[in-house]
Amino acid sequence: MSSGGDTAVIIPAVNEADRIAATVAAAADLPGVDLVVVVDDGSTDQTGRVARAAGARVVRHSRNKGKAAAMETGAEAVRLLDEDRSPRHLLFLDADLGATAGAAAPLIEPVRASKADMTVAVFTTRVKLGGHGLVVRLSKEGIRRATGFDPAQPLNGQRCLTRAAFEAARPLAHGFGVETAMTIDLLRKRFRVVEVEVEMAHRATGTDWRAQLHRARQLRDVALALATRDPLVVQNLDKLRLNR
């Protein structure tokens, strides 16, 4: 981690003991990063211990609270550490990126250069996601209807933003609706949102019952986030299903 940096990495993590060390190590080497915070969101494995051994500051939830809550916890931890200095920019990364987290530098650069208030990753290497196209389409349509912006990968969680932009996006939408809501809320408040291509990849989503449950939760959370921002999108959910 660089001394005198201006960017903190926040990594929400649940049961990622096998990948978290590589993710932390790669994130720590990013330009401008001088702090890596892992939020252990109620893991039942050794995620927190492995992350701490890799050099991260670790904050633990005693039970699983969901992605948005983990993001809030991580951002609050950074805020407390920033009390006697200028607020750091916040780079959110998924825990399962492994070594590819080291390719996140292009997300940081526009924010550090004051050319964007939030950057959103577009993965150039696509993995088979096991069929959550319905959720992606719902999110894309919701963002487009609400703001006119047509995102390439609306659910991508790799995002860098200024502290001011993060505060403007609060309170964060619940769970997996956080990315969709954050994009809409910041664009509506005239913050500059820029998509950036990166050579990153995370674990592919499977097709077993756990993966299907995960996608069902994603769909629920995105629909709830949109329901308070553009109810017509949620009314069109059955139409989206028919077009799968």
Side-chain angles (χ1 to χ4, degrees):
M1 283 179 263
S2 61
S3 59
D6 59 6
T7 303
V9 177
I10 299 171
I11 307 174
V14 183
N15 296 332
E16 291 288 354
D18 59 336
R19 292 199 178 196
I20 192 65
T23 304
V24 168
D29 284 339
L30 290 167
V33 170
D34 62 354
L35 174 66
V36 177
V37 175
V38 170
V39 181
D40 181 356
D41 190 24
S43 296
T44 57
D45 65 3
Q46 297 298 310
T47 292
R49 182 176 297 179
V50 173
R52 189 175 290 108
R57 300 276 189 111
V58 177
V59 184
R60 176 172 170 78
H61 290 164
S62 59
R63 60 179 178 81
N64 183 265
K65 296 184 179 181
K67 186 172 186 179
M71 292 171 67
E72 291 264 19
T73 294
E76 178 63 13
V78 174
R79 187 192 67 78
L80 292 173
L81 292 168
D82 283 352
E83 285 187 341
D84 298 321
R85 53 160 292 161
S86 298
R88 291 175 172 94
H89 307 311
L90 305 176
L91 173 63
F92 292 94
L93 296 178
D94 290 344
D96 63 353
L97 292 170
T100 70
L107 290 173
I108 303 173
E109 291 160 5
V111 177
R112 296 185 77 199
S114 299
K115 295 180 179 179
D117 301 302
M118 180 173 75
T119 55
V120 181
V122 175
F123 288 174
T124 56
T125 302
R126 303 298 298 270
V127 296
K128 183 174 175 56
L129 297 176
H132 73 221
L134 172 62
V135 189
V136 172
R137 285 197 296 274
L138 178 63
S139 178
K140 280 175 69 72
E141 180 173 331
I143 293 170
R144 186 169 56 247
R145 283 182 57 94
T147 68
F149 178 61
D150 188 12
Q153 294 180 15
L155 300 179
N156 202 308
Q158 324 325 305
R159 297 171 180 235
C160 187
L161 62 166
T162 64
R163 169 59 73 168
F166 180 81
E167 294 299 330
R170 298 180 67 194
L172 300 183
H174 174 77
F176 297 109
V178 62
E179 290 90 2
T180 302
M182 182 179 284
T183 299
I184 291 173
D185 293 346
L186 290 182
L187 285 170
R188 282 179 166 176
K189 293 179 180 180
R190 306 296 185 186
F191 285 88
R192 297 164 298 168
V193 177
V194 177
E195 291 187 305
V196 180
E197 290 191 348
V198 293
E199 295 285 345
M200 303 167 75
H202 52 63
R203 182 186 296 112
T205 306
T207 56
D208 62 10
W209 69 268
R210 292 182 182 85
Q212 297 295 341
L213 179 59
H214 171 77
R215 282 189 286 276
R217 288 170 175 163
Q218 273 193 315
L219 181 62
R220 175 200 64 195
D221 291 350
V222 170
L224 286 172
L226 290 174
T228 61
R229 292 165 176 84
D230 190 351
L232 287 177
V233 174
V234 182
Q235 292 174 20
N236 289 333
L237 186 56
D238 287 337
K239 187 184 300 183
L240 288 171
R241 284 199 180 98
L242 291 174
N243 291 333
R244 290 183 71 178

